[in-house]
Amino acid sequence: MTPLRLGYLYGIGAYLLWGFFPLYLKLMRPAGSVEILAHRIVWSVVFVALLLGAMRNIGFLRALLRRPRALAGIGIAAVLIAVNWGAYIYGVTSDRVVETALGYFINPLVVMLLGVTVLHERLRATQWAALGIGGLAVVVLAVDYGRLPYLALVLAFSFAGYGLAKKRLGLPAAEGLFVESAVLALPALAYLGWLGASGDATFGQVSVGHTLLLVSAGAATAIPLLLFAGAANRLPLTNLGMIQYLAPILQLGFGVLIFHEPMPPARLAGFALVWAALIVFTVDALHNSRRTRRAATTMASPTPHPIPR
């Protein structure tokens, strides 16, 4: 199998798993969103530690401890991913799956916005157009909801910020997830201990199946991230960006068709504007990618020399 085909399989696998996450989280009831988040953190540490042990790759920690700036960056990334996970779990368990899907639809637009405001990148006219349409969509959705779609915005900004932090850190997926989860593990364990002492914990109290679902949260967190890393190493960024819409499309479908969340005409119009912005963004990315490849091919081609007469 070619690396490109393997990259597509990894990418589709990652986004399919993320797309089915609402079904998985709904099964964890009656656990609350904070309890689910705490278990997700703790069991992620356990799962990835076992994985790194099997790969005999624990030694990276010694080198990392000698890099205080990297440790500070990991702390920031850990807080951002905890906010993202917590907001997503809360959205699903409070029957707002449609709004969580919106967050991941607008995430590419937020990434562009961070590129301008944080990295001082210059956008092309079509990218500005995509951002403008996305901003209009947020206004339409705010009118429909009677408030800003704050859950979607928190998801989009926290995940975009997390991606920016990860890009600057440059850690591999498994090692990065282990350290980020380890940073959050002590508060998570403290919360679970308090929950157990107060008699409000559902772990071990509901059923064997429920307990196993909470334990499996570590694997359910790590496996899509590892698949995503495998895809990112094999696919052009533009191709990977196209696949990312698979997850929010599935989440939106589950929210409307299975969980029967409302989709009034005004909300549908807001989503239509988001999709229009994403079409502009994707077409521009594809066009720019082709132009870059053509320029690289031209530069790599040898200059023909005149045939001596």
Side-chain angles (χ1 to χ4, degrees):
M1 184 178 294
T2 64
L4 188 65
R5 183 171 295 180
L6 190 60
Y8 275 114
L9 287 177
Y10 282 152
I12 291 170
Y15 284 110
L16 276 176
L17 289 173
W18 279 325
F20 277 89
F21 234 71
L23 297 178
Y24 174 69
L25 292 174
K26 292 280 191 181
L27 292 174
M28 291 187 179
R29 289 175 171 172
S33 55
V34 182
E35 183 180 6
I36 296 171
L37 173 62
H39 278 289
R40 188 173 184 179
I41 291 167
V42 170
W43 295 113
S44 292
V45 175
V46 174
F47 179 83
V48 182
L50 292 172
L51 183 64
L52 291 174
M55 295 164 57
R56 303 190 177 189
N57 197 22
I58 297 295
F60 81 97
L61 283 172
R62 287 193 296 271
L64 190 60
L65 289 173
R66 294 193 291 268
R67 298 169 55 196
R69 182 172 290 184
L71 290 174
I74 288 168
I76 294 170
V79 170
L80 287 169
I81 198 61
V83 169
N84 185 267
W85 288 353
Y88 183 72
I89 294 166
Y90 169 75
V92 173
T93 55
S94 60
D95 301 321
R96 292 164 66 180
V97 176
V98 169
E99 193 173 346
T100 65
L102 173 65
Y104 291 110
F105 273 126
I106 65 176
N107 178 69
L109 304 176
V110 174
V111 170
M112 276 199 301
L113 186 61
L114 287 183
V116 173
T117 56
V118 178
L119 301 179
H120 306 292
E121 295 177 353
R122 298 184 67 177
L123 297 186
R124 295 180 292 276
T126 46
Q127 292 175 313
W128 279 115
L131 276 178
I133 298 169
L136 178 61
V138 171
V139 172
V140 171
L141 288 165
V143 172
D144 172 64
Y145 281 113
R147 55 170 174 79
L148 276 175
Y150 63 87
L151 182 62
L153 294 173
V154 167
L155 286 169
F157 276 92
S158 60
F159 198 67
Y162 174 71
L164 178 62
K166 293 283 282 184
K167 182 179 176 64
R168 290 184 165 180
L169 287 168
L171 284 177
E175 288 85 343
L177 178 62
F178 174 77
V179 180
E180 291 155 14
S181 300
V183 168
L184 302 167
L186 281 179
L189 283 169
Y191 176 78
L192 291 175
W194 173 81
L195 206 62
S198 64
D200 294 324
T202 63
F203 184 81
Q205 304 298 318
V206 178
S207 67
V208 174
H210 179 266
T211 300
L212 290 175
L213 280 171
L214 289 172
V215 171
S216 67
T221 298
I223 290 172
L225 283 171
L226 296 174
L227 289 172
F228 174 79
N233 290 335
R234 291 169 175 84
L235 291 179
L237 190 60
T238 305
N239 298 39
L240 190 61
M242 298 277 289
I243 301 173
Q244 74 177 338
Y245 302 129
L246 183 60
I249 287 170
L250 284 171
Q251 292 163 6
L252 178 63
F254 289 139
V256 174
L257 301 177
I258 295 180
F259 305 133
H260 305 294
E261 294 184 16
M263 180 61 82
R267 192 166 306 169
L268 185 59
F271 269 87
L273 283 169
V274 171
W275 296 329
L278 291 176
I279 289 169
V280 173
F281 168 78
T282 304
V283 169
D284 174 78
L286 288 171
H287 176 72
N288 189 61
S289 177
R290 291 194 190 102
R291 188 170 56 190
T292 303
R293 282 200 300 269
R294 280 199 302 268
T297 303
T298 303
M299 292 286 291
S301 300
T303 304
H305 293 285
I307 300 173
R309 295 182 183 273

